[in-house]
Every structure is written in structure tokens, then in C-alpha cells.
Amino acid sequence: MRLGRAALMSRGSLPSIAGTPFGGGYYVGRLIGDDGVKYALIVAPKATGEWPNRLSYKLSSTSSAAAGSAWDGAANSAALVAAGVDVHPIADFMMQVNNGGGINGYTDWFIPARYQLEMVYRNLKTSTAANATNSLGITSNRFADPNTPEYTATNPAQTSAVQFQTGGSEAFVNDGYWSSTEYPTTEGWYQDMNAGYMSHLSKTSGLRCRLVRAIKI
């Protein structure tokens, strides 16, 4: 299983619209990491890259060493894998996917970091619900390229990608989804995919999980 980012590709070859099939899944958008590198973010197809019900971040409410990055889900996910099997259910799901042949030929899927998951919500919002403006987390995203502002009730709006809209084949469930970013040690960050509320819960809580991959551009 590989958890590194995919090889460098031309920025000009990227889709211009979120939700376009691309790179084994669906294009989400561009981000710039704290490493100064630009990436294209891709979300996995729902049928193969999303756990079909709820699962926990970890089996105990304890620290997950080196899983604190707000933008680097690949690094966080590698840290969870390093803890071994049957410790982090979300990592076990990821390993099951990658070690089982991957998705559409790619085996570098990982659990999105907090602000990678925020990008998924912002650019592929399923519902027409008003956005939460009282999140415990800051919803502006300095890692997005270009940077994006705090939510208002109407911004972000529902995606134009029909398959991600309510009732579509790729639509997110009206529930919270785990990121791979812990907070600060006993809880993990999550994003509600109906109205965008960003907060944190005990790692033993049950939430959804959908994988992503990233390509250097």
C-alpha cells in the first residue's frame, strides 16, 4: 500500500469543475500545503471509497501520534497505519481498500485531513441546507488554492455536479465524516456533510469515512 502523493502532473490538465471524473475518483480542487507544494485533491467514488455505515476513529480515546496535520491526510493516515491493525478502524478501512487492489487502479487513497475534508464539503456540497456559521472550527481555508472565506448561510451553495446532489449516486450522507486530524489528543476533527458544521468528537464515536487521494501539480 502506498500513502505518498501521486507523481507530478501538469496543472493545465486538471478539470475546471469540481465533481468531474478524474484520477480514479472525482476532482475536488487545488490546495497548497505547508510544504509549499500544490496538489489536486480527488475524492473516491462512493461505492468503493466510503464505509457503508458509521465507524470510529480509534478504539480508545487516546493520542494518535503524528496525526495532527490540518492539511496532510496522507501523513496522518500513515501515522495511523503505523499504530498497527485493529487500533484505528478508519485506517483499517483504508488499508482494506488499498491492499485489496485499490480503486480504479490507484492504491494511494487516504483519510482526508481536516481542511482537505473541508474542501470536499465546500466544493461538492450535497444539500441545499443553510451552512452552519457557528462551527467550533474555523471554516475559512488557507490551504485551498485560492484561499476561501468563512461560511455564510448561503456560501458555499449546493454543488452543480448532479451526481453529488441529494439523491445522486455520489452524494454524501446527511452525517458527520471523520478527518484524519486529531484534536488535540483524545478527539478527532470531523465535518458535517449536510450543513458544514466543523467540530471534534471522542475518537470512539461513530461517524462516516470517505477516502481521497492527492496529485502534485
Side-chain angles (χ1 to χ4, degrees), residues 131-149:
N131 299 302
T133 57
N134 61 340
S135 293
L136 294 181
I138 298 171
T139 56
S140 60
N141 193 335
R142 70 178 181 85
F143 302 106
D145 178 26
N147 295 170
T148 48

Side-chain angles (χ1 to χ4, degrees), residues 57 62 178 181-189 200-203:
Y57 181 111
T62 54
W178 282 119
T181 308
E182 69 171 10
Y183 172 87
T185 55
T186 64
E187 298 185 331
W189 283 100
H200 38 82
L201 277 177
S202 168
K203 292 177 180 178

